[in-house]
Amino acid sequence: MFGKMVTGATILATALTLQTGSVSAEETLFVPSLSYRTGPFAANGIPIANGFADYFTMLNERDGGIGGVKVTVEECETGYNAQKGVECYEATKGKGALVYNPYSTGITLQLIPKAPVDKIPVLSMGYGLSAAAIGEKFPWTFNYPATYWDQMSSIIKYIDGKEGGIKGKKIGFIYLDVGYGKEPIPLLDQLAEEMGFTVVKFPVGVKEMQNQSSHWLNVRKERPDWMIMWGWGAMNATAIKEAAKTRYPMDRFIGNWWSGANVDLEPAGEAGKGYIAANMAAAGTDMPAIQDILKYVVDAGKSKVAERSDVGKVLYNRGVLNAVVVAEAIRTAQEMTGKKMITGEDMRLGLENLDFSAERMAELGLPGFTAPIKASCENHGSGGSIFLHQWNGSGWETITDLIPPMTEKVRAMLEEAADKYVADKPDWQTQDCG
Amino acid sequence: MELLYNIFVDPFAQMVSTPDFLLQVLWEGFVTGTLYALIALGYVLIFKASGVFNFAQGIMVVFAALSLVGFYEAGVPAWLALLLALGIMAVLAVGTERLVLRHMVNQEEIILFMATIGLSYFLIGSGELIFGGETKSMITEELGLPTGSTVLDVAGGIVILQHIDIAAAVIAALMVAALAFFFSKTRIGRALRAVADDHQAALSVGISLNQIWAVVWFAAGIVALATGIMWGARSDVSFALQIVALKALPVLILGGFTSIPGAIIGGLIIGMGEKLFEVYWGGLMGGGVEGWFAYVIALIFLLFRPQGLFGEKIIERI
């Protein structure tokens, strides 16, 4: 009899626990974070994951979440590996995931076809497939504030504005030899033809990330007027050290926004002085929202940052920006649907109708944090401006105003690429924005 | 016709017209080859003692370097951090022998190989847990290693020699000399060679297999630490460094898995060969060819000497 009572009590307790768990899960907005805190790219993955998680923790602590509903951020370790990324997606999509931020172009390419099937949008913020900016062809994928093609065109525009233009110049392009690094090549080749400059490419294999002396010997041989880098992980710091070793002029070496973090330049220190990189989110902690993160999260011991000074660094703030955009899209979706608890489909609406203006940034305590982002049915990402910052030996200094992309050139190419992507997929889901 | 010109004429014309650049390429190849040789040495040591390819050698390089930098960042003076890092490698050697190898005496080599894969994952996981995944700068100056560079004027051009690269070459040479002496002139060295030939036969003449394995794993740990310092000084210490260690494979194929001089000569051939090919012929194939060209060199040698340049020719009775 006693045994039966114990068994019954155990079953009841288990059932209650499960019920409580499910109720709790229903009451939070679930945002998976496909992070990489291990592996060859961990040094860059860690600050992004920290910034992303800390902003939501701050919203939960300070405001009680978004629209009165707390946000649950669940990290899943991908190691920057596409296969593991898909496993993470499959493991978390059933928990009510609102949006996926893959933080890897390789993983993004895998998730793009899954998004319309599972009705969970993908936000590859400033990376991924450039053509996904065409909203009619990619209703479930977003890549604002700018695509890689936009970013490359802004960098070319910057170079074109120096010393009598880019015509006749030789541009060296050093890139991680994976999908991410190759992504801007079609645009670069097209612009070279149209604007009259030549391109020399230096692909760096993942195995050679920390063994680049051959590549930089080739740079010395080719003597490009400018170098552009599409690097990630340990490749960046090694490239900058090798450039300094080869005595390549640092103020003619421009990285994209994944090649310009503190972790990339701190090892080089003074040797990296003059190096330029693109950026999309202001660094630093002198913004009220970042101060709130310090107060409600870091100082309260609820952050994973190793040191308080990690807050405000380039990639940390990039993670914060990603979280802010997701939070704003959730808020937009809540307002549009009138629901507190939204679904992936609602989230897609929120992302598509996002209007992240300068005024809204100021309201959120992030004045001038990034270029305004305004999405639409047609435009899921293209057109955002970037700014350039320069390493002064110990930190970054912004050296340009916002540089808009060459939209007239880029948009046509994006549309062509989007058409090509869907051409051999008869069941591909598009949308009519007319 | 143009293709033939680009393959057989143009590269050599470039070499003649810019001898300073050719010297720079050869120097970079020499330094890289020296570092490949250092990594390969670690593999050779373990292979000589147990006949097993130590899959964990790459992560041992990272683990040793991270230990050194980790102690220094914790406030320990550089020289003491170096000693403590050596201590960590000693503990790792004894631990590997006690917990892994001791239970596998006389097992198939593939079993021992699988055990080193397991060890590799253990070190990756524990390394990331202890030291975190962030890239760390090597404490080059604090260890008294030279920094800066010397510029030589050669034939109207320049050749840049990094002082840390010169130090790497000197340290590699010293390590090879010390290891050659250790293997050929000391009692433990001779016992180690006996163990490599036959575990049971070595045991039957009173050689302590356990002691030998611990000693050789510690020696491989010292080589790993030296390699970690030198690679770390060139391009920082991160877990991506373990991938570079795979470059030792073609070196071992070329030089032979059991030969210390083979590791050195193999390293230099691979290092200089891949740099020359990448710089003068790589452009014809879109660049980025050195990743596979090292294996091509190794395979060409393998066609003529399957045991490698200095490997032991295995004759088995049927």
Side-chain angles (χ1 to χ4, degrees):
Chain A
M1 185 63 186
F2 178 72
K4 282 182 182 174
M5 281 174 68
V6 170
T7 308
T10 308
I11 291 168
L12 188 64
T14 309
L16 280 172
T17 307
L18 287 173
Q19 195 185 7
T20 308
S22 65
V23 168
S24 169
E26 279 169 13
E27 283 180 351
T28 62
L29 297 157
F30 182 70
V31 180
S33 172
L34 305 191
S35 59
Y36 35 100
R37 293 178 181 273
T38 64
F41 300 92
N44 299 71
I46 290 169
I48 291 174
N50 285 340
F52 189 77
D54 287 357
Y55 183 75
F56 285 113
T57 309
M58 186 273 283
L59 288 184
N60 286 342
E61 296 297 317
R62 190 191 66 184
D63 307 338
I66 304 168
V69 187
K70 289 206 172 184
V71 181
T72 298
V73 176
E74 183 175 305
E75 282 194 29
C76 185
E77 175 66 35
T78 70
Y80 196 67
N81 176 298
Q83 187 187 332
K84 283 188 190 170
V86 173
E87 286 170 13
C88 281
Y89 173 85
E90 296 296 340
T92 51
K93 72 178 185 186
K95 296 180 178 180
L98 294 181
V99 60
Y100 279 92
N101 302 270
Y103 273 109
S104 146
T105 294
I107 300 173
T108 305
L109 295 175
Q110 296 294 318
L111 299 193
I112 286 173
K114 292 175 181 291
V117 177
D118 295 319
K119 302 205 180 302
I120 305 169
V122 172
L123 171 58
S124 54
M125 206 189 73
Y127 56 93
L129 182 71
S130 295
I134 307 302
E136 293 101 325
K137 299 292 189 311
F138 294 91
W140 291 87
T141 308
F142 300 81
N143 56 9
Y144 40 67
T147 67
Y148 282 138
W149 293 7
D150 291 308
Q151 187 181 184
M152 178 60 90
S153 75
S154 294
I155 292 171
I156 294 294
K157 195 185 256 188
Y158 171 79
I159 295 172
D160 195 33
K162 297 277 176 187
E163 299 165 13
I166 199 169
K167 192 172 182 183
K169 296 273 175 23
K170 188 188 272 188
I171 305 295
F173 179 57
I174 188 163
Y175 61 99
L176 188 61
D177 197 9
V178 296
Y180 147 67
K182 293 174 191 168
E183 180 64 21
I185 289 176
L187 181 96
L188 188 59
D189 287 341
Q190 178 78 23
L191 290 182
E193 204 178 307
E194 288 178 19
M195 299 175 75
F197 61 89
T198 55
V199 180
V200 192
K201 298 177 187 112
F202 306 100
V204 178
V206 172
K207 278 193 284 186
E208 309 297 336
M209 285 196 304
Q210 291 198 268
N211 186 19
Q212 291 179 40
S213 57
S214 300
H215 305 84
W216 287 91
L217 283 168
N218 273 327
V219 170
R220 180 174 158 184
K221 182 179 144 193
E222 295 289 344
R223 299 178 189 276
D225 297 293
W226 290 83
M227 283 294 292
I228 299 174
M229 175 156 70
W230 242 246
W232 190 229
M235 174 184 158
N236 293 340
T238 305
I240 290 156
K241 276 191 164 184
E242 287 286 343
K245 208 173 93 178
T246 319
R247 304 189 169 191
Y248 189 83
M250 279 295 170
D251 57 357
R252 287 171 167 266
F253 188 12
I254 306 177
N256 76 345
W257 54 39
W258 302 116
S259 308
N262 295 66
V263 73
D264 302 325
L265 271 296
E266 277 162 3
E270 276 292 313
K273 197 171 177 179
Y275 174 79
I276 299 168
N279 201 359
M280 64 166 111
T285 58
D286 55 348
M287 289 166 272
I290 305 290
Q291 286 297 318
D292 282 347
I293 290 177
L294 286 168
K295 180 181 167 187
Y296 290 99
V297 187
V298 180
D299 294 342
K302 292 175 180 169
S303 173
K304 285 184 183 169
V305 291
E307 290 172 25
R308 199 175 191 270
S309 58
D310 290 345
V311 176
K313 288 186 175 176
V314 172
L315 289 181
Y316 182 92
N317 279 16
R318 188 83 48 83
V320 171
L321 173 62
N322 199 154
V324 171
V325 167
V326 169
E328 284 300 287
I330 290 173
R331 211 183 305 273
T332 305
Q334 286 174 332
E335 285 167 10
M336 287 180 74
T337 61
K339 295 189 288 186
K340 297 283 186 197
M341 285 301 304
I342 58 166
T343 64
E345 284 182 280
D346 301 328
M347 185 67 182
R348 197 198 76 78
L349 276 179
L351 287 163
E352 198 164 81
N353 290 280
L354 183 81
D355 186 4
F356 192 44
S357 63
E359 294 75 31
R360 182 60 185 153
M361 282 179 229
E363 273 174 35
L364 292 172
L366 295 163
F369 194 41
T370 186
I373 302 169
K374 185 164 173 47
S376 67
C377 176
E378 299 87 0
N379 190 353
H380 280 196
S382 183
S385 302
I386 63 164
F387 65 88
L388 298 179
H389 58 175
Q390 190 167 33
W391 184 252
N392 65 12
S394 58
W396 292 101
E397 288 172 8
T398 302
I399 56 165
T400 67
D401 292 328
L402 288 170
I403 307 172
M406 301 177 192
T407 307
E408 71 290 354
K409 292 183 194 295
V410 175
R411 182 75 191 181
M413 283 188 71
L414 287 172
E415 283 173 357
E416 192 183 330
D419 288 342
K420 198 173 165 189
Y421 184 94
V422 302
D424 59 349
K425 300 175 182 68
D427 298 328
W428 188 258
Q429 184 188 324
T430 58
Q431 66 177 345
D432 183 5
C433 296
Chain B
M1 197 65 187
E2 192 186 342
L3 181 67
L4 290 176
Y5 174 82
N6 287 335
I7 295 172
F8 295 110
V9 180
D10 187 48
F12 298 103
Q14 285 181 42
M15 289 179 200
V16 173
S17 63
T18 51
D20 60 312
F21 185 62
L22 174 64
L23 269 178
Q24 187 77 61
V25 174
L26 289 172
W27 169 249
E28 290 294 336
F30 174 77
V31 174
T32 311
T34 305
L35 292 169
Y36 289 164
L38 268 179
I39 301 172
L41 266 181
Y43 286 103
V44 167
L45 285 172
I46 306 275
F47 194 86
K48 276 176 85 81
S50 54
V52 67
F53 180 80
N54 176 24
F55 192 80
Q57 188 65 32
I59 188 64
M60 278 171 66
V61 170
V62 178
F63 200 86
L66 282 175
S67 301
L68 171 62
V69 179
F71 281 122
Y72 181 76
E73 286 181 350
V76 177
W79 64 270
L80 187 55
L82 185 66
L83 290 178
L84 288 172
L86 280 173
I88 293 279
M89 298 321 284
V91 170
L92 181 66
V94 173
T96 304
E97 187 277 312
R98 287 280 164 91
L99 300 172
V100 183
L101 302 176
R102 182 172 287 196
H103 308 285
M104 296 190 179
V105 176
N106 219 34
Q107 292 290 323
E108 291 289 328
E109 284 159 5
I110 188 69
I111 306 288
L112 283 161
F113 174 65
M114 297 297 278
T116 67
I117 293 178
L119 180 66
S120 172
Y121 281 105
F122 171 76
L123 289 177
I124 292 171
S126 51
E128 284 173 337
L129 191 70
I130 298 166
F131 305 109
E134 289 93 348
T135 303
K136 296 185 191 304
S137 295
M138 179 46 67
I139 48 171
T140 314
E141 285 178 52
E142 293 82 352
L143 288 170
L145 290 167
T147 54
S149 60
T150 298
V151 180
L152 304 177
D153 292 319
V154 178
I158 58 163
V159 176
I160 306 167
L161 305 179
Q162 298 294 322
H163 295 165
I164 188 68
D165 292 344
I166 298 169
V170 172
I171 287 171
L174 289 175
M175 291 203 90
V176 171
L179 286 168
F181 177 82
F182 173 73
F183 275 105
S184 58
K185 303 292 181 191
T186 66
R187 198 176 65 81
I188 291 180
R190 285 194 293 274
L192 195 146
R193 282 154 62 193
V195 169
D197 285 341
D198 192 315
H199 293 176
Q200 283 185 318
L203 280 170
S204 69
V205 295
I207 293 171
S208 167
L209 199 57
N210 300 332
Q211 188 193 5
I212 291 297
W213 273 350
V215 167
V216 82
W217 274 77
F218 180 49
I222 295 171
V223 173
L225 181 58
T227 314
I229 291 170
M230 290 307 161
W231 269 111
R234 276 170 75 91
S235 62
D236 303 318
V237 186
S238 81
F239 282 88
L241 207 54
Q242 61 177 306
I243 309 171
V244 178
L246 292 176
K247 264 296 172 68
L249 271 175
V251 174
L252 291 168
I253 293 169
L254 183 58
F257 278 72
T258 53
S259 169
I260 290 174
I264 302 301
I265 303 295
L268 293 179
I269 291 174
I270 295 285
M272 294 168 95
E274 70 174 20
K275 297 292 174 229
L276 282 169
F277 192 77
E278 175 74 56
V279 171
Y280 290 104
W281 286 272
L284 296 172
M285 285 167 257
V289 298
E290 67 177 334
W292 55 263
F293 186 71
Y295 290 90
V296 172
I297 299 177
L299 287 172
I300 291 169
F301 273 87
L302 211 58
L303 282 175
F304 300 100
R305 282 189 65 85
Q307 70 274 32
L309 276 179
F310 296 87
E312 292 163 14
K313 200 165 188 173
I314 300 164
I315 301 168
E316 289 188 10
R317 286 182 186 163
I318 302 169

